[in-house]
Amino acid sequence: MSEFENRYVIKQIEKSTDDGYLEALTIYNEETPPGIYTNSNEITKWLDNPEDGCQFEMIIYALYLDNRVIGFAQITYLLVQKVAILDYITLTKAYRVNSAFLVFLSLIQYHLSLSGRSILYYIAEISNKDGCANIDRESAFYKRIVCLESFGYVNSKYHNIPLGLANHEDAFESLMYIKTNDNTKYINKETFIDIVSAICYDYYLKWYSKFLEEDELNK
């Protein structure tokens, strides 16, 4: 009887010079729609120059299938709230299927659980642009996956912050999906507000302080 198998592997990237990073970043650049795209030069700069005392940590993975890079993942960990944000999990078009995505998502969560980080919540932000009438392909696919993974929709208005002043395609209403570490179906309003505040001020504001002048940052 003939046999067939695939080997899925994730590799954490520590520096932009690490093997697999450029291939993974190329996939990110080619496959990420403009409306949810963070400048890859910014990602590389934060990767190579993290700042002490930050309230967030960026974690980058190269995703491999049978020793070939087929994807990129960026996870942001909010230290105070103990939240892991699934910023990007991007695969090449040929492997953008439920089975591959779910395997990589499972490997990422398992790696994070072994890292010593205490994670109370996983978060995914899904575009709800024009009431989902103009949702991009990545967000539509992502929404299907997180629902399969038992993420729950937070019943509250939520807006994506623009990813830089030059990108006019990415400021729109989003849906926030949350998965708790014990599959709880409810979070307090105050917890949600604290998480959103941390995303805005501990993460986004600090991120763009590297790239914007003070008057631009104030905008």
Side-chain angles (χ1 to χ4, degrees):
M1 184 176 69
S2 61
E3 295 183 356
F4 180 78
E5 66 176 20
N6 290 125
R7 183 168 182 261
Y8 294 88
V9 173
I10 63 171
K11 174 187 174 183
Q12 185 175 351
I13 302 295
E14 304 286 352
K15 292 289 182 183
S16 62
T17 52
D18 287 357
D19 291 342
Y21 179 65
L22 289 181
E23 294 97 323
L25 194 67
T26 298
I27 293 170
Y28 165 80
N29 283 328
E30 291 177 348
E31 300 295 340
T32 306
I36 58 173
Y37 177 81
T38 298
N39 189 317
S40 59
N41 291 333
E42 296 176 3
I43 295 173
T44 299
K45 187 164 184 177
W46 267 105
L47 178 65
D48 287 337
N49 301 281
E51 293 186 10
D52 293 335
C54 272
Q55 297 301 311
F56 78 89
E57 179 186 0
M58 184 182 72
I59 306 158
I60 299 294
Y61 297 102
L63 313 179
Y64 289 80
L65 176 61
D66 297 333
N67 298 314
R68 186 161 65 93
V69 178
I70 66 163
F72 168 94
Q74 176 185 329
I75 312 300
T76 298
Y77 177 61
L78 303 178
L79 277 68
V80 176
Q81 280 70 30
K82 298 179 172 53
V83 168
I85 305 171
L86 309 179
D87 283 318
Y88 298 105
I89 303 178
T90 305
L91 303 178
T92 57
K93 190 174 298 184
Y95 298 100
R96 199 180 296 124
V97 294
N98 290 6
S99 56
F101 197 102
L102 287 168
V103 170
F104 283 125
L105 181 56
S106 178
L107 287 172
I108 288 168
Q109 290 179 87
Y110 183 61
H111 182 269
L112 291 172
S113 73
L114 296 179
S115 69
R117 300 176 183 88
S118 174
I119 299 176
L120 300 180
Y121 306 100
Y122 286 91
I123 286 180
E125 300 166 314
I126 310 295
S127 168
N128 192 35
K129 194 172 185 179
D130 301 327
C132 278
N134 291 310
I135 188 172
D136 59 86
R137 67 173 189 278
E138 287 292 314
S139 296
F141 176 71
Y142 204 16
K143 181 179 180 180
R144 185 167 71 246
I145 294 299
V146 298
C147 289
L148 289 173
E149 278 289 290
S150 300
F151 281 67
Y153 164 58
V154 179
N155 188 19
S156 176
K157 266 202 163 183
Y158 179 69
H159 281 81
N160 266 50
I161 296 174
L163 301 175
L165 295 179
N167 192 341
H168 305 295
E169 298 299 322
D170 55 11
F172 47 77
E173 185 178 343
S174 293
L175 306 176
M176 181 183 285
Y177 283 81
I178 288 184
K179 180 181 179 180
T180 63
N181 63 358
D182 61 353
N183 291 322
T184 301
K185 302 299 182 184
Y186 174 85
I187 63 170
N188 288 320
K189 179 180 70 174
E190 291 75 17
T191 300
F192 173 67
I193 291 171
D194 285 347
I195 290 172
V196 173
S197 178
I199 292 172
C200 293
Y201 295 103
D202 292 348
Y203 176 24
Y204 279 51
L205 188 64
K206 185 63 177 177
W207 179 281
Y208 285 106
S209 68
K210 255 191 201 302
F211 312 109
L212 300 179
E213 300 294 335
E214 185 174 356
D215 61 332
E216 296 175 318
L217 198 61
N218 288 335
K219 291 180 183 180

